[in-house]
Amino acid sequence: MEFDEAPTPGHDQPTRERVARSILVEGPSTAAALAERLDLTPAAVRRHLDQLVDEGAVEAREPRSLGVRGRGRPAKVFALTESGRDRFDQQYDDLAVQALRFLAETGGVDAVRAFARRRAAFIQDRFAGVSEANPDLGPAEVLARVFTDEGYAAAVRDLPVGEQLCQQHCPVSHVAHEFPQLCEAETEAISAVLGRHVQRLATIAHGDGVCTTCIPDVPTSGTTGSITDKSSTTEKKEHVSR
């Protein structure tokens, strides 16, 4: 009879951190997807996930239904909890929350909004430069590059009605949970650089696994206000900013 060698304390920590970081970068994932992505056995991934769940760093969720389900129970997806995200580098801490509370008390909501807009100015400040340096990137991909450089691990996915900017990590999520003006200012800046209305669909700050912003297509000439349908695209692509 063979026995698995008992791991020494901390022995699995580097691999466990790889699992957690993969979820951070790629978003909520199944054990099978993590195993393939990290070149690990499914059994090893499940062992690490069990430990991360016990530590409160990861939670299991039911997958979102994107269509008609087939037979059998769909595999659970694993997402980072707020505690799990706190393990990774954060640009702001409790001091930032206290400072914004003080600003709100002394200057009111308008002062908080003004601060949020000033912080989000990096989007407009860097957009033109990144676009000029990378002429092969579309506007949404440029945004993904700008956000990734700021620690958001952003990517762009195609949608039938446009594109979706996905931010797998938010370095200010624990602050934005109390001060949503930070998220609102980012959305306003995205809209400003693209010159069109965009819609924030989900935010990490309020419990979602990823921040998503819908960027609809600009109606083409000859249409009657309808949004260009991209469902006929033969191949859906995912552009990850590196």
Side-chain angles (χ1 to χ4, degrees), residues 41-91:
T41 65
V45 168
R46 292 190 187 95
R47 177 165 58 84
H48 291 301
L49 286 171
D50 288 343
Q51 183 63 36
L52 289 167
V53 169
D54 290 343
E55 294 172 359
V58 165
E59 62 183 2
R61 298 178 179 177
E62 294 293 335
R64 292 182 179 179
S65 177
L66 300 178
V68 179
R69 288 185 177 180
R71 294 182 178 179
R73 186 181 181 88
K76 289 184 179 294
V77 296
F78 294 86
L80 288 181
T81 63
E82 184 175 350
S83 174
R85 291 181 182 279
D86 285 343
R87 294 185 176 191
F88 295 93
D89 294 336
Q90 298 285 340
Q91 293 183 3

Short mmCIF file of all heavy atoms in Angstrom, two decimals, residues 41-91:
data_model
loop_
_atom_site.label_atom_id
_atom_site.label_comp_id
_atom_site.label_asym_id
_atom_site.label_seq_id
_atom_site.Cartn_x
_atom_site.Cartn_y
_atom_site.Cartn_z
N THR A 41 -2.08 18.31 -11.52
CA THR A 41 -3.12 17.29 -11.57
C THR A 41 -4.39 17.84 -10.92
O THR A 41 -4.32 18.67 -10.01
CB THR A 41 -2.69 16.02 -10.82
OG1 THR A 41 -2.55 16.32 -9.42
CG2 THR A 41 -1.37 15.48 -11.36
N PRO A 42 -5.56 17.40 -11.39
CA PRO A 42 -6.82 17.85 -10.77
C PRO A 42 -6.85 17.59 -9.27
O PRO A 42 -7.36 18.41 -8.49
CB PRO A 42 -7.89 17.06 -11.51
CG PRO A 42 -7.27 16.79 -12.85
CD PRO A 42 -5.81 16.55 -12.57
N ALA A 43 -6.28 16.45 -8.84
CA ALA A 43 -6.27 16.11 -7.42
C ALA A 43 -5.45 17.12 -6.63
O ALA A 43 -5.83 17.54 -5.53
CB ALA A 43 -5.73 14.71 -7.22
N ALA A 44 -4.31 17.53 -7.19
CA ALA A 44 -3.47 18.50 -6.50
C ALA A 44 -4.17 19.85 -6.40
O ALA A 44 -4.13 20.51 -5.35
CB ALA A 44 -2.14 18.65 -7.24
N VAL A 45 -4.81 20.25 -7.48
CA VAL A 45 -5.52 21.53 -7.45
C VAL A 45 -6.64 21.51 -6.42
O VAL A 45 -6.82 22.47 -5.66
CB VAL A 45 -6.09 21.86 -8.85
CG1 VAL A 45 -7.08 23.02 -8.77
CG2 VAL A 45 -4.97 22.21 -9.80
N ARG A 46 -7.39 20.42 -6.37
CA ARG A 46 -8.48 20.34 -5.39
C ARG A 46 -7.95 20.39 -3.96
O ARG A 46 -8.59 20.98 -3.08
CB ARG A 46 -9.29 19.05 -5.62
CG ARG A 46 -10.07 19.04 -6.93
CD ARG A 46 -11.04 17.87 -6.98
NE ARG A 46 -11.65 17.77 -8.30
CZ ARG A 46 -11.21 17.01 -9.28
NH1 ARG A 46 -10.12 16.27 -9.09
NH2 ARG A 46 -11.81 16.98 -10.44
N ARG A 47 -6.80 19.78 -3.73
CA ARG A 47 -6.21 19.82 -2.39
C ARG A 47 -5.86 21.25 -2.00
O ARG A 47 -6.14 21.70 -0.88
CB ARG A 47 -4.95 18.93 -2.34
CG ARG A 47 -4.22 18.96 -1.01
CD ARG A 47 -3.24 17.80 -0.92
NE ARG A 47 -2.27 17.82 -2.00
CZ ARG A 47 -1.16 18.54 -1.98
NH1 ARG A 47 -0.89 19.32 -0.95
NH2 ARG A 47 -0.31 18.49 -2.99
N HIS A 48 -5.28 21.99 -2.95
CA HIS A 48 -4.93 23.39 -2.67
C HIS A 48 -6.18 24.24 -2.51
O HIS A 48 -6.24 25.13 -1.64
CB HIS A 48 -4.05 23.95 -3.79
CG HIS A 48 -2.68 23.35 -3.84
ND1 HIS A 48 -1.80 23.41 -2.79
CD2 HIS A 48 -2.04 22.66 -4.83
CE1 HIS A 48 -0.67 22.80 -3.11
NE2 HIS A 48 -0.79 22.34 -4.35
N LEU A 49 -7.18 23.98 -3.34
CA LEU A 49 -8.43 24.74 -3.23
C LEU A 49 -9.11 24.49 -1.89
O LEU A 49 -9.63 25.42 -1.26
CB LEU A 49 -9.37 24.37 -4.38
CG LEU A 49 -9.00 24.93 -5.75
CD1 LEU A 49 -9.89 24.30 -6.83
CD2 LEU A 49 -9.13 26.45 -5.78
N ASP A 50 -9.10 23.23 -1.43
CA ASP A 50 -9.69 22.91 -0.13
C ASP A 50 -9.01 23.69 0.98
O ASP A 50 -9.66 24.21 1.90
CB ASP A 50 -9.59 21.40 0.15
CG ASP A 50 -10.54 20.57 -0.71
OD1 ASP A 50 -11.49 21.17 -1.26
OD2 ASP A 50 -10.32 19.35 -0.82
N GLN A 51 -7.68 23.79 0.89
CA GLN A 51 -6.94 24.52 1.90
C GLN A 51 -7.25 26.01 1.84
O GLN A 51 -7.43 26.68 2.87
CB GLN A 51 -5.43 24.29 1.71
CG GLN A 51 -4.56 24.96 2.76
CD GLN A 51 -4.81 24.41 4.16
OE1 GLN A 51 -5.06 23.21 4.32
NE2 GLN A 51 -4.75 25.27 5.16
N LEU A 52 -7.31 26.55 0.63
CA LEU A 52 -7.63 27.97 0.47
C LEU A 52 -9.04 28.29 0.96
O LEU A 52 -9.29 29.35 1.53
CB LEU A 52 -7.46 28.38 -1.00
CG LEU A 52 -6.02 28.44 -1.50
CD1 LEU A 52 -6.00 28.53 -3.04
CD2 LEU A 52 -5.29 29.64 -0.90
N VAL A 53 -9.96 27.35 0.74
CA VAL A 53 -11.33 27.54 1.24
C VAL A 53 -11.33 27.52 2.76
O VAL A 53 -11.98 28.35 3.42
CB VAL A 53 -12.27 26.45 0.68
CG1 VAL A 53 -13.62 26.48 1.41
CG2 VAL A 53 -12.49 26.65 -0.82
N ASP A 54 -10.59 26.58 3.35
CA ASP A 54 -10.50 26.49 4.81
C ASP A 54 -9.90 27.77 5.41
O ASP A 54 -10.28 28.19 6.50
CB ASP A 54 -9.65 25.29 5.23
CG ASP A 54 -10.35 23.96 4.96
OD1 ASP A 54 -11.58 23.97 4.77
OD2 ASP A 54 -9.65 22.93 4.92
N GLU A 55 -8.96 28.37 4.67
CA GLU A 55 -8.31 29.61 5.14
C GLU A 55 -9.19 30.84 4.93
O GLU A 55 -8.86 31.93 5.41
CB GLU A 55 -6.98 29.80 4.41
CG GLU A 55 -5.94 28.73 4.74
CD GLU A 55 -4.70 28.85 3.85
OE1 GLU A 55 -4.69 29.76 2.97
OE2 GLU A 55 -3.77 28.06 4.04
N GLY A 56 -10.29 30.68 4.18
CA GLY A 56 -11.16 31.81 3.91
C GLY A 56 -10.67 32.68 2.77
O GLY A 56 -11.19 33.79 2.57
N ALA A 57 -9.68 32.20 2.00
CA ALA A 57 -9.14 32.99 0.89
C ALA A 57 -9.92 32.78 -0.40
O ALA A 57 -9.90 33.64 -1.29
CB ALA A 57 -7.67 32.63 0.67
N VAL A 58 -10.60 31.65 -0.50
CA VAL A 58 -11.33 31.28 -1.72
C VAL A 58 -12.70 30.75 -1.32
O VAL A 58 -12.85 30.15 -0.25
CB VAL A 58 -10.53 30.22 -2.53
CG1 VAL A 58 -11.41 29.56 -3.58
CG2 VAL A 58 -9.33 30.87 -3.21
N GLU A 59 -13.68 30.98 -2.17
CA GLU A 59 -15.01 30.43 -1.93
C GLU A 59 -15.52 29.76 -3.21
O GLU A 59 -15.19 30.19 -4.32
CB GLU A 59 -15.99 31.52 -1.49
CG GLU A 59 -16.22 32.61 -2.51
CD GLU A 59 -17.14 33.69 -1.98
OE1 GLU A 59 -17.58 33.60 -0.82
OE2 GLU A 59 -17.44 34.65 -2.75
N ALA A 60 -16.30 28.71 -3.03
CA ALA A 60 -16.89 28.00 -4.17
C ALA A 60 -18.23 28.64 -4.51
O ALA A 60 -19.01 28.99 -3.63
CB ALA A 60 -17.08 26.53 -3.83
N ARG A 61 -18.48 28.79 -5.79
CA ARG A 61 -19.72 29.40 -6.27
C ARG A 61 -20.34 28.54 -7.36
O ARG A 61 -19.64 27.82 -8.07
CB ARG A 61 -19.47 30.81 -6.83
CG ARG A 61 -18.92 31.81 -5.84
CD ARG A 61 -18.66 33.14 -6.53
NE ARG A 61 -18.14 34.15 -5.61
CZ ARG A 61 -17.78 35.38 -5.98
NH1 ARG A 61 -17.88 35.73 -7.26
NH2 ARG A 61 -17.33 36.24 -5.09
N GLU A 62 -21.65 28.67 -7.48
CA GLU A 62 -22.32 28.03 -8.61
C GLU A 62 -22.01 28.82 -9.87
O GLU A 62 -22.03 30.06 -9.85
CB GLU A 62 -23.83 27.99 -8.39
CG GLU A 62 -24.26 27.11 -7.22
CD GLU A 62 -23.98 25.64 -7.48
OE1 GLU A 62 -23.92 25.25 -8.66
OE2 GLU A 62 -23.83 24.90 -6.49
N PRO A 63 -21.68 28.16 -10.97
CA PRO A 63 -21.36 28.89 -12.20
C PRO A 63 -22.58 29.60 -12.76
O PRO A 63 -23.71 29.13 -12.60
CB PRO A 63 -20.87 27.80 -13.15
CG PRO A 63 -21.56 26.56 -12.66
CD PRO A 63 -21.63 26.70 -11.15
N ARG A 64 -22.34 30.74 -13.39
CA ARG A 64 -23.44 31.45 -14.04
C ARG A 64 -23.85 30.73 -15.30
O ARG A 64 -23.00 30.32 -16.10
CB ARG A 64 -23.01 32.89 -14.39
CG ARG A 64 -22.78 33.76 -13.16
CD ARG A 64 -22.41 35.17 -13.58
NE ARG A 64 -22.22 36.03 -12.42
CZ ARG A 64 -21.88 37.31 -12.48
NH1 ARG A 64 -21.68 37.86 -13.67
NH2 ARG A 64 -21.73 38.02 -11.39
N SER A 65 -25.12 30.59 -15.50
CA SER A 65 -25.63 29.89 -16.68
C SER A 65 -25.59 30.82 -17.88
O SER A 65 -26.13 31.91 -17.86
CB SER A 65 -27.07 29.41 -16.45
OG SER A 65 -27.57 28.79 -17.60
N LEU A 66 -24.91 30.39 -18.94
CA LEU A 66 -24.79 31.19 -20.17
C LEU A 66 -25.64 30.62 -21.30
O LEU A 66 -25.58 31.07 -22.43
CB LEU A 66 -23.32 31.27 -20.61
CG LEU A 66 -22.37 31.91 -19.61
CD1 LEU A 66 -20.95 31.88 -20.15
CD2 LEU A 66 -22.79 33.34 -19.30
N GLY A 67 -26.42 29.62 -20.98
CA GLY A 67 -27.24 29.00 -22.02
C GLY A 67 -27.94 27.79 -21.45
O GLY A 67 -28.11 27.64 -20.24
N VAL A 68 -28.37 26.91 -22.33
CA VAL A 68 -29.07 25.70 -21.91
C VAL A 68 -28.07 24.74 -21.29
O VAL A 68 -27.04 24.42 -21.88
CB VAL A 68 -29.78 25.03 -23.10
CG1 VAL A 68 -30.48 23.76 -22.63
CG2 VAL A 68 -30.77 25.99 -23.73
N ARG A 69 -28.36 24.31 -20.08
CA ARG A 69 -27.46 23.40 -19.40
C ARG A 69 -27.63 21.98 -19.93
O ARG A 69 -28.73 21.55 -20.25
CB ARG A 69 -27.73 23.39 -17.90
CG ARG A 69 -27.27 24.66 -17.19
CD ARG A 69 -27.48 24.51 -15.69
NE ARG A 69 -26.98 25.66 -14.97
CZ ARG A 69 -27.04 25.79 -13.65
NH1 ARG A 69 -27.59 24.82 -12.92
NH2 ARG A 69 -26.57 26.87 -13.06
N GLY A 70 -26.52 21.29 -20.00
CA GLY A 70 -26.58 19.89 -20.39
C GLY A 70 -26.87 19.02 -19.19
O GLY A 70 -27.19 19.50 -18.10
N ARG A 71 -26.73 17.75 -19.35
CA ARG A 71 -26.98 16.83 -18.26
C ARG A 71 -25.85 16.90 -17.25
O ARG A 71 -24.71 17.20 -17.57
CB ARG A 71 -27.12 15.41 -18.80
CG ARG A 71 -28.34 15.19 -19.68
CD ARG A 71 -28.44 13.75 -20.12
NE ARG A 71 -29.63 13.51 -20.92
CZ ARG A 71 -29.94 12.33 -21.45
NH1 ARG A 71 -29.14 11.29 -21.25
NH2 ARG A 71 -31.05 12.19 -22.17
N GLY A 72 -26.19 16.58 -16.02
CA GLY A 72 -25.17 16.56 -14.99
C GLY A 72 -25.06 17.89 -14.26
O GLY A 72 -25.48 18.93 -14.75
N ARG A 73 -24.47 17.83 -13.10
CA ARG A 73 -24.29 19.02 -12.28
C ARG A 73 -23.08 19.80 -12.79
O ARG A 73 -21.99 19.25 -12.94
CB ARG A 73 -24.07 18.60 -10.82
CG ARG A 73 -24.02 19.78 -9.85
CD ARG A 73 -23.77 19.25 -8.43
NE ARG A 73 -23.75 20.33 -7.48
CZ ARG A 73 -24.83 20.80 -6.86
NH1 ARG A 73 -26.01 20.28 -7.15
NH2 ARG A 73 -24.73 21.78 -5.99
N PRO A 74 -23.23 21.11 -13.06
CA PRO A 74 -22.10 21.89 -13.55
C PRO A 74 -21.01 22.04 -12.49
O PRO A 74 -21.31 22.08 -11.29
CB PRO A 74 -22.73 23.26 -13.89
CG PRO A 74 -23.95 23.33 -13.02
CD PRO A 74 -24.46 21.92 -12.93
N ALA A 75 -19.78 22.07 -12.93
CA ALA A 75 -18.66 22.19 -11.99
C ALA A 75 -18.69 23.55 -11.30
O ALA A 75 -18.99 24.57 -11.90
CB ALA A 75 -17.34 22.00 -12.74
N LYS A 76 -18.36 23.55 -10.02
CA LYS A 76 -18.31 24.80 -9.26
C LYS A 76 -17.11 25.62 -9.72
O LYS A 76 -16.09 25.08 -10.17
CB LYS A 76 -18.20 24.52 -7.77
CG LYS A 76 -19.47 23.96 -7.14
CD LYS A 76 -19.31 23.80 -5.65
CE LYS A 76 -20.58 23.26 -5.00
NZ LYS A 76 -21.69 24.22 -5.11
N VAL A 77 -17.24 26.92 -9.60
CA VAL A 77 -16.11 27.81 -9.86
C VAL A 77 -15.62 28.35 -8.52
O VAL A 77 -16.39 28.48 -7.57
CB VAL A 77 -16.49 28.97 -10.80
CG1 VAL A 77 -16.89 28.46 -12.16
CG2 VAL A 77 -17.61 29.81 -10.20
N PHE A 78 -14.35 28.66 -8.47
CA PHE A 78 -13.73 29.13 -7.24
C PHE A 78 -13.28 30.58 -7.45
O PHE A 78 -12.61 30.90 -8.43
CB PHE A 78 -12.56 28.24 -6.85
CG PHE A 78 -12.98 26.85 -6.47
CD1 PHE A 78 -13.15 25.87 -7.43
CD2 PHE A 78 -13.25 26.53 -5.14
CE1 PHE A 78 -13.57 24.59 -7.10
CE2 PHE A 78 -13.67 25.25 -4.80
CZ PHE A 78 -13.83 24.28 -5.77
N ALA A 79 -13.67 31.44 -6.51
CA ALA A 79 -13.37 32.86 -6.60
C ALA A 79 -12.68 33.32 -5.33
O ALA A 79 -12.90 32.75 -4.24
CB ALA A 79 -14.65 33.67 -6.83
N LEU A 80 -11.86 34.35 -5.46
CA LEU A 80 -11.20 34.91 -4.28
C LEU A 80 -12.21 35.66 -3.41
O LEU A 80 -13.10 36.34 -3.92
CB LEU A 80 -10.09 35.87 -4.69
CG LEU A 80 -8.82 35.26 -5.29
CD1 LEU A 80 -7.82 36.38 -5.61
CD2 LEU A 80 -8.18 34.26 -4.34
N THR A 81 -12.07 35.54 -2.12
CA THR A 81 -12.86 36.32 -1.19
C THR A 81 -12.14 37.66 -0.96
O THR A 81 -11.01 37.86 -1.45
CB THR A 81 -13.00 35.61 0.16
OG1 THR A 81 -11.69 35.45 0.74
CG2 THR A 81 -13.63 34.22 -0.03
N GLU A 82 -12.78 38.54 -0.24
CA GLU A 82 -12.13 39.82 0.08
C GLU A 82 -10.84 39.58 0.86
O GLU A 82 -9.83 40.24 0.63
CB GLU A 82 -13.08 40.70 0.88
CG GLU A 82 -12.52 42.08 1.19
CD GLU A 82 -13.52 42.98 1.89
OE1 GLU A 82 -14.70 42.61 1.97
OE2 GLU A 82 -13.11 44.05 2.35
N SER A 83 -10.89 38.60 1.76
CA SER A 83 -9.69 38.26 2.53
C SER A 83 -8.59 37.73 1.61
O SER A 83 -7.40 38.05 1.79
CB SER A 83 -10.04 37.20 3.58
OG SER A 83 -8.88 36.75 4.25
N GLY A 84 -8.99 36.93 0.62
CA GLY A 84 -8.00 36.41 -0.32
C GLY A 84 -7.35 37.50 -1.15
O GLY A 84 -6.14 37.46 -1.42
N ARG A 85 -8.13 38.49 -1.54
CA ARG A 85 -7.58 39.60 -2.31
C ARG A 85 -6.62 40.44 -1.46
O ARG A 85 -5.65 40.99 -1.96
CB ARG A 85 -8.70 40.48 -2.86
CG ARG A 85 -9.52 39.80 -3.94
CD ARG A 85 -10.60 40.70 -4.48
NE ARG A 85 -11.40 39.99 -5.47
CZ ARG A 85 -11.04 39.81 -6.73
NH1 ARG A 85 -9.91 40.33 -7.16
NH2 ARG A 85 -11.79 39.14 -7.57
N ASP A 86 -6.93 40.52 -0.18
CA ASP A 86 -6.09 41.32 0.70
C ASP A 86 -4.69 40.75 0.84
O ASP A 86 -3.77 41.43 1.29
CB ASP A 86 -6.73 41.43 2.09
CG ASP A 86 -7.91 42.39 2.10
OD1 ASP A 86 -8.02 43.19 1.15
OD2 ASP A 86 -8.72 42.33 3.05
N ARG A 87 -4.52 39.48 0.45
CA ARG A 87 -3.18 38.87 0.52
C ARG A 87 -2.23 39.48 -0.52
O ARG A 87 -1.02 39.42 -0.37
CB ARG A 87 -3.26 37.37 0.29
CG ARG A 87 -4.01 36.61 1.38
CD ARG A 87 -3.92 35.12 1.13
NE ARG A 87 -4.55 34.35 2.20
CZ ARG A 87 -4.42 33.04 2.32
NH1 ARG A 87 -3.71 32.36 1.43
NH2 ARG A 87 -5.02 32.40 3.30
N PHE A 88 -2.83 39.99 -1.59
CA PHE A 88 -2.01 40.55 -2.64
C PHE A 88 -1.77 42.04 -2.40
O PHE A 88 -2.46 42.67 -1.60
CB PHE A 88 -2.68 40.33 -4.00
CG PHE A 88 -2.79 38.88 -4.35
CD1 PHE A 88 -3.94 38.16 -4.04
CD2 PHE A 88 -1.75 38.22 -4.97
CE1 PHE A 88 -4.05 36.82 -4.35
CE2 PHE A 88 -1.84 36.87 -5.28
CZ PHE A 88 -2.99 36.17 -4.98
N ASP A 89 -0.80 42.55 -3.06
CA ASP A 89 -0.43 43.94 -2.84
C ASP A 89 -1.61 44.87 -3.06
O ASP A 89 -2.32 44.77 -4.05
CB ASP A 89 0.71 44.35 -3.80
CG ASP A 89 1.99 43.61 -3.49
OD1 ASP A 89 2.15 43.16 -2.34
OD2 ASP A 89 2.83 43.49 -4.40
N GLN A 90 -1.84 45.78 -2.14
CA GLN A 90 -2.89 46.77 -2.23
C GLN A 90 -2.25 48.15 -2.22
O GLN A 90 -1.29 48.41 -1.49
CB GLN A 90 -3.86 46.66 -1.05
CG GLN A 90 -4.57 45.33 -0.96
CD GLN A 90 -5.67 45.20 -1.99
OE1 GLN A 90 -6.15 46.18 -2.52
NE2 GLN A 90 -6.08 43.98 -2.26
N GLN A 91 -2.78 49.08 -3.03
CA GLN A 91 -2.23 50.43 -3.08
C GLN A 91 -2.76 51.28 -1.94
O GLN A 91 -2.19 52.31 -1.60
CB GLN A 91 -2.58 51.08 -4.43
CG GLN A 91 -1.91 50.42 -5.62
CD GLN A 91 -2.22 51.13 -6.92
OE1 GLN A 91 -2.89 52.14 -6.94
NE2 GLN A 91 -1.74 50.58 -8.02
#
